[in-house]
Amino acid sequence: MNSSPSWLVRLSPQSADGPTLLICPHAGGGPVFYRALAAALFNRLTVWAVNYPGRERQVQTPLADSMHSLVNSIVDQIPRDLPGTFVLLGHSMGAFVAQEVAVQLAHQIHGVIVSAQTSPLTQQTDRELLHQANDETLLRAVESLGASPASLLQHPEFKQQLLPLLRRDFQITETHHPRTEPLHVPLIAYAGKQDTLAPPENMRSWEHLTTAEFRYRIFPGGHFYFTDDVHTVAHHLHHDVMWFLT
């Protein structure tokens, strides 16, 4: 019997019995970051999040070395916790994770929401590779996105824990060659209006990456727009998940 920690963490209360949403987090992120979003959904959805290795419950698990190995490990874990159908939400790095999971588990997926990640059709080839940057440059880039307060990013112990995760997650994302073949499930793209990393105009071409229906939403805010007005985002998220099911 496999007694290792699951890669999937339930964020909703046990009383939640709505449609299932599986969140694939951003680089350096984990399930804890999405607890506020899950709470704002109340019991309307049953929310789970992927716990990437090296953090939270998986702190003792060796870091993945590629998108391929990361996704294969996630796919291997899903039947253990989510034997039924579900919707995927991938934020930033997680959008590519969700895209790859959806290819392998198409029979279980009602739809995919890609958030704050430039479409593979509009990827910049001359962008700075953050996994090769020095520590201060990497931390400044993360600080500019608004995921963590500057004071926390400068805390020695937090930096020591976060930097290896960030560097490996960015390496996985920046060396990944995202597929340009379309999915065959409905797709929705979420963008932050002031997001400089994944500008709204670079999100729109996700519509060419599905043979099914496509929707597109722009929210006020930057790369982590859902932290600005979590209840509004949760309202639209619930609406969109239910749309996938109709």
Side-chain angles (χ1 to χ4, degrees):
M1 182 176 178
N2 186 0
S3 60
S4 62
S6 175
W7 283 48
L8 307 185
V9 176
R10 181 170 174 141
L11 301 181
S12 297
Q14 291 299 319
S15 57
D17 61 357
T20 299
L21 175 71
L22 176 60
I23 299 174
C24 301
H26 56 283
V32 166
F33 194 85
Y34 296 87
R35 286 197 178 278
L37 181 59
L41 287 161
F42 302 106
N43 289 345
R44 293 175 291 176
L45 299 177
T46 303
V47 183
W48 293 72
V50 178
N51 194 152
Y52 301 145
R55 70 212 75 188
E56 298 181 30
R57 297 185 188 183
Q58 294 277 69
V59 69
Q60 299 298 327
T61 304
L63 300 177
D65 57 8
S66 68
M67 183 67 73
H68 177 76
S69 64
L70 178 65
V71 169
N72 282 347
S73 294
I74 295 168
V75 168
D76 287 344
Q77 289 281 321
I78 284 175
R80 172 172 158 177
D81 294 306
L82 302 181
T85 57
F86 56 92
V87 169
L88 282 162
L89 165 62
H91 184 75
S92 197
M93 166 189 171
F96 290 147
V97 176
Q99 184 188 26
E100 295 296 327
V101 170
V103 169
Q104 295 198 38
L105 296 179
H107 61 288
Q108 281 188 255
I109 309 298
H110 284 298
V112 178
I113 300 172
V114 289
S115 170
Q117 178 58 259
T118 297
S119 158
L121 301 177
T122 54
Q123 290 284 306
Q124 295 177 304
T125 57
D126 59 346
R127 69 187 187 281
E128 180 182 14
L129 297 178
L130 288 173
H131 76 275
Q132 296 178 349
N134 62 45
D135 289 351
E136 290 308 311
T137 299
L138 182 55
L139 289 172
R140 281 198 304 270
V142 172
E143 180 185 344
S144 71
L145 297 175
S148 301
S151 57
L152 185 59
L153 289 173
Q154 294 307 317
H155 191 281
E157 290 184 10
F158 184 75
K159 283 169 61 175
Q160 184 179 10
Q161 294 175 354
L162 182 63
L163 278 167
L165 301 181
L166 283 173
R167 199 171 294 284
R168 181 60 62 87
D169 286 356
F170 277 118
Q171 177 184 343
I172 288 173
T173 306
E174 292 172 343
T175 59
H176 173 58
H177 299 287
R179 63 179 67 239
T180 55
E181 301 86 2
L183 298 172
H184 302 295
V185 296
L187 184 68
I188 301 176
Y190 283 3
K193 188 174 183 179
Q194 288 80 41
D195 190 351
T196 57
L197 186 62
E201 61 270 20
N202 290 352
M203 294 285 298
R204 189 65 193 246
S205 60
W206 277 102
E207 67 181 318
H208 301 297
L209 295 176
T210 179
T211 60
E213 293 186 78
F214 175 79
R215 286 186 174 184
Y216 176 61
R217 291 192 186 276
I218 301 177
F219 295 96
H223 195 64
F224 292 95
Y225 59 84
F226 53 87
T227 62
D228 295 335
D229 188 353
V230 69
H231 292 285
T232 296
V233 174
H235 169 78
H236 288 292
L237 178 55
H238 175 254
H239 180 274
D240 290 335
V241 169
M242 300 310 294
W243 174 71
F244 283 136
L245 301 178
T246 58

